[in-house]
Amino acid sequence: SDDFINTKHVNTKDIVDRLVEKAYLFPGITFNLTILKDGKEKKKYSLHDKTIMDRIQQWKPDTPIIRVNTTREVTYLDDITDDELSNKKVYMDIVFAMKEAALDTENPMDYLICYGNGVKNYLGGTHLEGLRQGIQKYFKQEVIPKLKGRDKDLNILPSDTIAGLCAFVTVSAIKIIFRGQYKDQVSNQEIRFAVRDAVYDALCEAKPNEVNPMIDFVKRVARGRMASKKTRKKDVSNAFSKDRLDKFKDIVYNLETTDCELILVEGDSAADNAATARDPHNQAIY
C-alpha cells in the first residue's frame, strides 16, 4: 500500500510489533512499512512468509511445538429458551509448547498471544481456556493413570500441567462475542469446547518424541512444587501446628483442586459448621 501514517502520537514500536503479529496470522500477505522523518525514509520493513509456528520458535521453548490446525463443529444450546441445539463451526490454528522462563513471569500473558477473528485479545478468553483445559484433560485421562515406578505417587495438579505454557492461539467463527471495551477477551463457550477437544485429540495423536518432553516438563514442575511445599512446612513454627485442632485441616491437593480458599471463622461453633461443609480439595479453615 502507498498509504502513509503521519502523526506524532503513534508509537512506531507498537505499529511494527502489531504488523509483525499480523504477518504471522496472514503468511500469504506481504506487509510493507516505511518510517519517514522530515520527509525522508528512515527505515523500511517488509514482513511476509512467517507463520505462528515461527513466532513460538522465537521464544526458544524447552519442548517440541505442537500445532492444532483444524475446524471443529460444535453442537450446543445457544440460548436456554431454544427448542433445538445449534451447530457452529470453529476454525482454529494453535501452536503451543513449554518454556522454563514462563514459570517465573509475573504477567501470565507474557508468553501467550491470542486472536479471535483477527482481533487481538490481550486477556485471552475462552479459546485460551479451551487450550488449557485440553492439556489438563490429556494429563488427567492419558498420563496420570499410567504413571509408574518413582512417578506412581507423583501428585500432578491441573496447574502443573499448564505451568510454563507458551502459545499462539487464533480462532475464527461466524459470530464471536468479545468482552471488554477493547475486545480484550473472547467469551463464546462453544469455542472453549471446540478448542479443548481439538487440543486433547492432537495430544493423543502426537508422536512420543513430541509429547514425552512435555510430560517430563510437567513432572519436573510437580516435583519442584512438592519440594518447595516441604521447605515451606519446615520453616513454619510448630508452636501453633502441634496444638492445632483436627478440624483445622490442610487442603488435600489433587486434580479437583482449582481455587484454593482460606475460610476465616470466629468461635468453635462456626468452625465446626465450616469444617463439616468445607470442600477439602479447595478450602482450609482458620
Side-chain angles (χ1 to χ4, degrees):
S1 173
D2 293 329
D3 294 336
F4 296 93
I5 298 176
N6 184 18
T7 173
K8 296 180 180 180
H9 303 290
V10 176
N11 187 313
T12 302
K13 183 179 181 302
D14 290 342
I15 297 175
V16 174
D17 290 345
R18 179 57 63 87
L19 280 181
V20 168
E21 284 190 2
K22 291 293 185 181
Y24 295 128
L25 286 174
F26 308 103
I29 300 176
T30 298
F31 293 86
N32 293 315
L33 174 63
T34 302
I35 308 297
L36 300 178
K37 185 176 183 179
D38 298 328
K40 296 181 180 180
E41 182 178 312
K42 181 180 179 182
K43 197 165 185 179
K44 188 172 184 178
Y45 299 86
S46 182
L47 308 169
H48 60 93
D49 296 334
K50 293 185 177 182
T51 68
I52 59 176
M53 182 76 78
D54 297 319
R55 183 64 183 90
I56 296 298
Q57 286 175 342
Q58 287 185 359
W59 282 331
K60 298 180 180 179
D62 297 304
T63 66
I65 300 173
I66 294 178
R67 187 167 190 172
V68 184
N69 189 348
T70 186
T71 299
R72 284 288 176 114
E73 185 170 299
V74 185
T75 302
Y76 68 103
L77 187 65
D78 189 26
D79 190 277
I80 195 171
T81 60
D82 292 346
D83 296 326
E84 297 180 356
L85 296 175
S86 301
N87 293 317
K88 178 178 285 188
K89 289 184 178 180
V90 178
Y91 166 77
M92 67 196 77
D93 193 3
I94 302 169
V95 290
F96 63 96
M98 299 294 181
K99 182 174 176 61
E100 291 282 351
L103 296 172
D104 302 322
T105 180
E106 294 183 1
N107 182 2
M109 297 301 294
D110 280 347
Y111 291 94
L112 299 169
I113 302 173
C114 300
Y115 277 85
N117 278 11
V119 177
K120 185 166 185 177
N121 315 123
Y122 290 92
L123 300 180
T126 50
H127 45 357
L128 179 57
E129 292 171 11
L131 169 60
R132 288 169 171 160
Q133 290 177 3
I135 297 172
Q136 291 171 339
K137 180 180 177 181
Y138 172 73
F139 274 86
K140 181 177 181 180
Q141 297 187 8
E142 306 297 333
V143 177
I144 295 175
K146 299 176 183 177
L147 293 177
K148 54 185 178 181
R150 77 187 188 104
D151 296 327
K152 186 175 182 180
D153 297 325
L154 184 60
N155 183 23
I156 297 178
L157 303 183
S159 57
D160 296 332
T161 66
I162 56 175
L165 178 66
C166 58
F168 199 129
V169 183
T170 174
V171 297
S172 298
I174 293 177
K175 184 180 180 182
I176 285 187
I177 302 173
F178 296 101
R179 276 180 282 176
Q181 180 179 357
Y182 301 105
K183 300 183 178 181
D184 286 338
Q185 292 177 285
V186 170
S187 61
N188 301 60
Q189 291 304 315
E190 69 275 11
I191 290 179
R192 176 166 62 90
F193 301 142
V195 173
R196 178 197 63 191
D197 294 343
V199 168
Y200 170 76
D201 290 345
L203 288 171
C204 290
E205 297 167 3
K207 297 178 181 178
N209 64 340
E210 295 175 326
V211 75
N212 283 347
M214 181 177 293
I215 295 174
D216 292 338
F217 184 97
V218 171
K219 288 179 182 178
R220 291 196 301 273
V221 170
R223 291 193 189 98
R225 173 184 50 77
M226 294 172 69
S228 176
K229 185 178 179 182
K230 289 180 181 178
T231 301
R232 289 197 305 271
K233 282 190 174 181
K234 289 180 181 179
D235 293 339
V236 175
S237 171
N238 291 327
F240 171 77
S241 301
K242 67 180 181 180
D243 298 325
R244 192 179 190 187
L245 299 178
D246 289 340
K247 59 190 171 189
F248 299 133
K249 294 181 179 179
D250 290 334
I251 290 175
V252 180
Y253 290 91
N254 62 11
L255 283 174
E256 297 180 15
T257 303
T258 55
D259 298 301
C260 298
E261 296 179 327
L262 178 64
I263 302 176
L264 303 180
V265 296
E266 182 178 1
D268 288 338
S269 177
D272 287 331
N273 291 333
T276 303
R278 80 172 184 130
D279 175 359
H281 305 303
N282 290 281
Q283 296 173 330
I285 301 171
Y286 177 77

